[in-house]
Amino acid sequence: MADIIKLLPDHVANQIAAGEVVQRPASVVKELLENAIDAGATSIKLIIKDGGKSLIQVVDNGIGMSATDARLSFERHATSKIQSAEDLFNLNTKGFRGEALASIAAIARVDLQTKTANEEIGTAIEIEGSEIKSQEVVATPQGTSLAVKHLFFNIPARRNFLKSDAVELRHITDEFHRVALAHPSIAFNYYNNGSELFNLPESNFRQRIVNIFGKKSNEKLVPVNEDTQVVKVSGFICKSEFAKKSRGEQYFFVNNRFIKSHYLHYAVLAAFEGLIKPGTHPGYFLNLEVDPSSIDINIHPTKTEVKFDDEQTLYAILRSTIKHSLGQFNVAPTLDFDHDSNLQTPYEYKNKNAVLPKVTVDSTFNPFAEETKPTTASNSPSASSSSFSSYKKPSPQSWESLYVETPNTEVKSTGFEGVSFESEVSAKSIFDDTEDDLDTSAITFQLKRKYIVTTIKSGMVVIDQGRAHQRVLYEKFLRTVTLNEGLSQQLLFPIQLSFSLAEIDILKDIKDNLTTMGFVFGQINENIVEINGIPPMVAEAEVDTIFDELMADCQQNVGADGFSQADILSKALCKSLAVKTGDVLDKLSQAALVNDLFACTESMVSPFNKPIYVTITENDIDKKFM
Ligand code: ADP
Ligand code: MG
């Protein structure tokens, strides 16, 4: 048989290797920024167009390359950073594989311009799909500019696989944050489609964090410092009260390289134990300096995991160092003493203002007029939308406004919530033809602060209170957005929230929909957003948390439009506003929730597709007694 094995041509080998190195535009950004840092740059510019799909350019003022080096840099395994395998154990550079430029040049069009300090004239090279198109001398400042255009132009399958520009830009920004945080002494500028996203001057670590995440982050930071033989820990943790629902700001850097480590993450969590609410995440920016020979930087090009020689010691040091900082800066609440459990309120109640009882006078009330039957129209799912804004709330108030004590005095009726649950007649007339035979005049009770149990003719229903409320709120929000009928309560003092610039982008995207929901936005100044009005259902003290969660949810769904955006927002809001397991509901609220639930278009499943209630029939119960 004839020989069949052939060596792959270089450009094919490079394309295959590129698959490993370059997953998306952000991977190119990482490689180029790291090359610039390795070249000793003190100022680096990152220029992006269309989420990196049309252009990724990095301009640095580093050492530059000679004409020969410039040409060689695109060869595979061409590197100036290591000479032998031993060098791998004493790495001081980001790169060392000599693969990045070869890979990138295989799948894009690359324009390189570079000049060293002691040469008068620089080199320009154009290369496309591994093929050198031109090489010329140019006048260019010292340093290197590398422009990567039309990524994956020759691999359509990969190009189609890319996400929207907004999503790709977000990945790039994440990468940029990591590199910029690891090198505060280098100045960075980052432009997208011609506008400047970040301008980070040379600074210290704290200033760098603040420059990236906004002025308000300064007050959140608690310094961490510990110098041991094994590791030098420095950086900041965020005070426990600023723990977030989203996992955003968690950074480990080992020898100035961003890494991910579950193990070390748990060391930080362990230090915060008992200090933060369940379901929230502490922020941290931690630098670990270790002997380069004690770590194994994964040989895989894109992985960010690192193997430490002595992980357990590192864990212990990190945990105790952070605990120490939390204690020293007095940010750990003194839970162990002076603590009266009677005074402890669930988090949901914290900061809530008491609501003064109020008397409302019905000026249209005429004692001599004929008595009219209370309307039940708003109860029925079909009629509720038409009566959405006009329906006058019968007393007592909806259970929601009883529960969420809105600080303003005026509670506006939104029809949906104005449900009369007293009248047996009205309740029956609704539920008879919709939800089988639910009898809301029946007694309800709360089980384990989690379920609401009520009886129906055929037996009983057990309702998950949290999911039921999510459903009620979800439909209400969705309706508000689609009908554009959001009500708003003016805030006496506008709330100022600070966001990262990336979050500001998201906010601009969802602002219109939030406005229809009843949020009123004032000025947006860099990273500070002013909120002048909020929907009546939202308590002022909750606004911070709500936006926190909104951002977390929207980050995963950037670029959503129209209905899907309204859907995402309604889901996010209902999630944060709904009552939770553990919340005590009084009788009034229980009954009203049951009523509201069965007035929903879809009362069986929560917005997150979980069952809301189960019915247990008399038959089921009888069987148990057989
Ligand atoms: P690696 O970084 O692993 O060495 P790369 O393919 O990223 O491999 O780069 C190849 C070589 O090109 C580097 O070793 C370096 O000598 C040179 N190089 C790349 N980018 C720059 C730059 N911005 N400034 C100076 N030299 C560079
Ligand atoms: Mg490199």
Side-chain angles (χ1 to χ4, degrees):
M1 187 176 136
D3 301 336
I4 51 171
I5 297 180
K6 289 190 195 75
L7 275 179
L8 286 176
D10 266 0
H11 72 274
V12 178
N14 281 340
Q15 262 191 24
I16 295 170
E20 297 243 300
V21 182
V22 183
Q23 263 112 38
R24 54 181 358 139
S27 347
V28 175
V29 169
K30 173 172 189 273
E31 294 296 337
L32 298 189
L33 290 178
E34 290 189 346
N35 277 348
I37 291 165
D38 284 345
T42 56
S43 168
I44 299 175
K45 287 186 177 47
L46 170 64
I47 301 156
I48 299 296
K49 280 200 182 127
D50 307 321
K53 291 172 191 169
S54 329
L55 175 72
I56 301 161
Q57 184 175 13
V58 170
V59 184
D60 69 54
N61 64 352
I63 56 171
M65 287 180 265
S66 69
T68 323
D69 280 354
R71 186 93 182 218
L72 255 182
S73 68
F74 292 104
E75 294 293 322
R76 215 136 66 94
H77 307 307
T79 179
S80 56
K81 299 168 194 175
I82 58 169
Q83 266 149 29
S84 69
E86 278 89 80
D87 293 347
L88 276 176
F89 299 102
N90 199 12
L91 267 181
N92 289 312
T93 54
K94 310 270 165 195
F96 54 84
R97 294 175 214 97
E99 272 183 327
L101 291 191
S103 300
I104 293 166
I107 49 161
R109 182 193 156 130
V110 177
D111 286 353
L112 166 75
Q113 300 204 351
T114 187
K115 188 180 92 65
T116 60
N118 47 23
E119 277 167 327
E120 287 295 305
I121 204 99
T123 309
I125 292 180
E126 281 179 9
I127 182 166
E128 192 177 295
S130 296
E131 221 177 288
I132 305 249
K133 295 281 174 197
S134 73
Q135 175 162 357
E136 287 161 10
V137 289
V138 283
T140 180
Q142 184 201 324
T144 303
S145 155
L146 217 132
V148 177
K149 296 173 184 168
H150 307 299
L151 192 65
F152 296 131
F153 79 100
N154 51 357
I155 316 181
R158 295 293 298 272
R159 198 168 165 90
N160 293 338
F161 192 67
L162 294 177
K163 297 273 171 14
S164 70
D165 290 2
V167 172
E168 294 302 340
L169 187 72
R170 184 158 311 286
H171 285 285
I172 291 172
T173 306
D174 284 346
E175 207 57 71
F176 175 79
H177 285 168
R178 294 168 179 180
V179 176
L181 283 169
H183 298 276
S185 59
I186 299 176
F188 287 92
N189 294 81
Y190 172 11
Y191 304 88
N192 174 52
N193 290 342
S195 60
E196 188 173 63
L197 293 186
F198 288 91
N199 176 353
L200 308 175
E202 172 193 348
S203 65
N204 63 27
F205 191 39
R206 185 175 196 127
Q207 289 162 333
R208 178 58 50 98
I209 296 171
V210 172
N211 285 334
I212 293 180
F213 295 104
K215 288 188 200 93
K216 287 216 173 155
S217 55
N218 196 24
E219 62 182 280
K220 302 182 188 175
L221 303 176
V222 176
V224 177
N225 269 303
E226 185 70 63
D227 202 348
T228 72
Q229 291 206 310
V230 187
V231 60
K232 187 167 177 250
V233 184
S234 65
F236 301 90
I237 45 174
C238 295
K239 291 178 189 164
S240 46
E241 67 257 38
F242 295 108
K244 280 187 160 194
K245 287 273 162 88
S246 58
R247 293 191 57 174
E249 287 140 28
Q250 301 180 332
Y251 296 89
F252 281 120
F253 302 95
V254 172
N255 298 353
N256 297 325
R257 186 193 291 270
F258 171 81
I259 62 137
K260 285 182 188 151
S261 164
H262 287 300
Y263 194 68
L264 296 185
H265 174 69
Y266 282 111
V268 180
L269 290 189
F272 273 97
E273 203 181 301
L275 300 178
I276 54 175
K277 289 185 245 177
T280 61
H281 306 273
Y284 53 82
F285 306 86
L286 295 168
N287 297 309
L288 311 181
E289 258 176 70
V290 296
D291 179 351
S293 64
S294 76
I295 52 170
D296 176 6
I297 290 166
N298 201 300
I299 297 294
H300 190 280
T302 55
K303 284 216 175 121
T304 41
E305 277 96 25
V306 163
K307 181 102 195 61
F308 297 95
D309 276 358
D310 194 356
E311 233 172 19
Q312 270 155 332
T313 313
L314 224 52
Y315 182 101
I317 293 174
L318 202 56
R319 180 167 158 250
S320 72
T321 305
I322 293 174
K323 271 200 152 183
H324 180 72
S325 289
L326 284 168
Q328 197 182 9
F329 289 88
N330 235 340
V331 285
T334 46
L335 285 178
D336 312 318
F337 29 86
D338 296 333
H339 155 69
D340 179 356
S341 61
N342 292 325
L343 294 176
Q344 286 253 293
T345 50
Y347 286 109
E348 283 78 7
Y349 279 96
K350 246 169 94 182
N351 304 327
K352 287 231 171 96
N353 305 331
V355 166
L356 290 175
K358 64 178 175 52
V359 180
T360 36
V361 179
D362 182 0
S363 54
T364 61
F365 178 64
N366 174 359
F368 304 107
E370 224 184 296
E371 203 185 314
T372 46
K373 283 241 163 82
T375 172
T376 59
S378 77
N379 273 359
S380 88
S382 56
S384 55
S385 60
S386 58
S387 60
F388 191 57
S389 51
S390 59
Y391 180 70
K392 274 244 175 77
K393 184 201 301 291
S395 85
Q397 289 180 343
S398 97
W399 71 283
E400 276 152 18
S401 44
L402 289 173
Y403 184 77
V404 181
E405 295 128 327
T406 44
N408 74 332
T409 47
E410 189 193 330
V411 179
K412 287 170 184 147
S413 162
T414 48
F416 221 113
E417 57 186 16
V419 168
S420 155
F421 54 83
E422 291 173 318
S423 149
E424 195 175 338
V425 186
S426 70
K428 282 241 170 78
S429 64
I430 305 152
F431 294 111
D432 276 348
D433 46 29
T434 53
E435 285 304 319
D436 165 23
D437 49 2
L438 190 91
D439 175 6
T440 41
S441 71
I443 291 168
T444 58
F445 71 92
Q446 205 184 8
L447 186 71
K448 300 272 176 199
R449 296 184 180 182
K450 185 174 183 189
Y451 300 107
I452 294 171
V453 183
T454 187
T455 54
I456 50 175
K457 271 189 220 147
S458 60
M460 63 195 255
V461 211
V462 183
I463 301 168
D464 181 308
Q465 64 184 45
R467 291 178 190 175
H469 195 199
Q470 283 179 351
R471 168 52 67 182
V472 172
L473 290 173
Y474 171 74
E475 292 201 1
K476 183 185 289 184
F477 278 120
L478 208 55
R479 188 185 302 262
T480 337
V481 188
T482 33
L483 299 184
N484 201 352
E485 281 182 339
L487 294 169
S488 183
Q489 63 184 45
Q490 181 87 25
L491 294 170
L492 208 50
F493 302 104
I495 301 176
Q496 293 204 328
L497 296 177
S498 95
F499 295 102
S500 70
L501 291 175
E503 286 171 333
I504 294 278
D505 276 350
I506 300 181
L507 191 72
K508 285 182 179 154
D509 209 31
I510 59 177
K511 205 172 137 216
D512 286 351
N513 268 327
L514 287 175
T515 308
T516 35
M517 285 175 163
F519 288 96
V520 180
F521 293 92
Q523 286 191 325
I524 300 187
N525 256 339
E526 280 182 36
N527 61 338
I528 308 281
V529 174
E530 207 172 72
I531 296 173
N532 296 327
I534 54 180
M537 281 173 283
V538 174
E540 203 174 329
E542 286 173 328
V543 173
D544 212 349
T545 333
I546 289 173
F547 272 88
D548 194 15
E549 287 181 22
L550 259 181
M551 290 303 158
D553 283 3
C554 292
Q555 247 158 24
Q556 285 143 28
N557 298 291
V558 236
D561 47 10
F563 177 78
S564 55
Q565 197 185 71
D567 180 61
I568 292 163
L569 293 181
S570 306
K571 280 190 180 142
L573 283 174
C574 81
K575 200 166 66 190
S576 41
L577 287 173
V579 298
K580 311 270 164 5
T581 296
D583 288 339
V584 180
L585 300 183
D586 62 18
K587 289 280 174 212
L588 235 54
S589 308
Q590 293 170 23
L593 176 56
V594 173
N595 257 348
D596 283 357
L597 172 66
F598 290 107
C600 285
T601 321
E602 166 59 85
S603 49
M604 304 271 286
V605 290
S606 81
F608 307 96
N609 271 329
K610 300 267 174 55
I612 294 177
Y613 63 88
V614 292
T615 45
I616 300 167
T617 62
E618 192 185 348
N619 222 337
D620 295 335
I621 302 170
D622 286 345
K623 277 190 203 141
K624 298 261 180 208
F625 287 97
M626 292 220 269

